[in-house]
Amino acid sequence: MTANSDLQKLLTWLSPAFPVGAFAWSAGLESAIASRAVHDRLTTEDWISGALNHGSLRTDGILFAHAHRAAHDPSALRDLADLCLALTPARERHDETTITGHAFATAAKAWPTPVLANLPDPCPYPIAVGAIAAGHGIDLEAALLAYLTATIHSQVSVAVRLIPIGQSDGLAILAALESSIASMASLCQHAALDDIGSVAYAADIAQMAHETLTTRIFRS
């Protein structure tokens, strides 16, 4: 398989147009915006950077890497899925990762691989993407970089629409976080499961608080 073919798959699978419904979820960012904890470009960048370096994005990245390596081991994938779900801090976050994971695995059947039969049910999103990428022989670090970048794009999109911060500030955040995303992709590639840990308590609380919002646009 060529590098161009791998890139095509990643661009397709992690595009906003790929039918996983990622646009419907905010991972608690909507409630952070409602409480004014996130209210402009700087607070948006700080919030997303915190999730990347100290919170759920870092955790998902590590689990993604292990799923990539365990793609041909159904038992190991099931254990990783169980760990991923045990680490979700809120019911809506649980729904977010399982619903998008199921949608990704379903849509990815257009690119057949035996790994699809190895996926557990339910299958969290990072487990599904990591394992399926491995099933197609896609390099781990490239897949991680694409996954983390796409997830952060989705978070920035939430802020652009809800605060709103506008497209220019949104693009400035994406540019500012490029090096951090690349560093995290490299870190997660080599991290052990024992390296998983989160201190992004405000993000966890925001995810828990989301279901109590009177008016909600997003599902988490």
Side-chain angles (χ1 to χ4, degrees):
M1 186 172 296
T2 68
N4 284 343
S5 176
D6 293 349
L7 179 60
Q8 277 186 302
K9 287 183 175 63
L10 291 174
L11 287 171
T12 299
W13 294 346
L14 297 168
S15 161
F18 201 66
V20 299
F23 63 87
W25 307 90
S26 81
L29 183 54
E30 182 176 21
S31 56
I33 292 170
S35 71
R36 301 289 294 168
V38 177
H39 59 273
D40 58 13
R41 171 184 163 182
L42 291 179
T43 52
T44 300
E45 183 177 333
D46 186 58
W47 184 274
I48 296 173
S49 177
L52 174 66
N53 292 295
H54 308 291
S56 60
L57 281 177
R58 180 180 183 276
T59 297
D60 284 356
I62 295 173
L63 291 165
F64 181 111
H66 283 265
H68 189 280
R69 287 190 285 269
H72 300 285
D73 185 341
S75 178
L77 288 177
R78 185 168 57 252
D79 289 344
L80 287 168
D82 288 345
L83 176 60
C84 184
L85 295 179
L87 293 170
T88 56
R91 178 184 60 81
E92 290 182 355
R93 174 63 175 161
H94 179 283
D95 291 346
E96 178 178 352
T97 194
T98 54
I99 291 172
T100 54
H102 176 76
F104 183 86
T106 299
K109 289 178 181 178
W111 293 264
T113 168
V115 165
L116 288 164
N118 297 337
L119 299 179
D121 183 20
C123 187
Y125 189 45
I127 306 303
V129 182
I132 292 171
H136 289 278
I138 298 175
D139 174 74
L140 171 55
E141 188 163 9
L144 263 172
L145 183 64
Y147 175 84
L148 292 174
T149 299
T151 304
I152 285 178
H153 283 189
S154 181
Q155 286 279 282
V156 170
S157 177
V158 172
V160 167
R161 287 181 280 169
L162 280 190
I163 295 176
I165 57 173
Q167 292 289 349
S168 295
D169 279 348
L171 292 172
I173 293 170
L174 294 175
L177 291 177
E178 276 187 355
S179 61
S180 294
I181 296 168
S183 296
M184 188 53 58
S186 179
L187 182 152
C188 292
Q189 181 182 7
H190 302 290
L193 291 177
D194 286 345
D195 293 322
I196 291 175
S198 172
V199 292
Y201 304 125
D204 293 343
I205 292 169
Q207 292 181 44
M208 297 173 193
H210 186 267
E211 64 182 85
T212 67
L213 290 180
T214 303
T215 302
R216 298 187 294 172
I217 295 174
F218 296 89
R219 296 181 65 183
S220 70

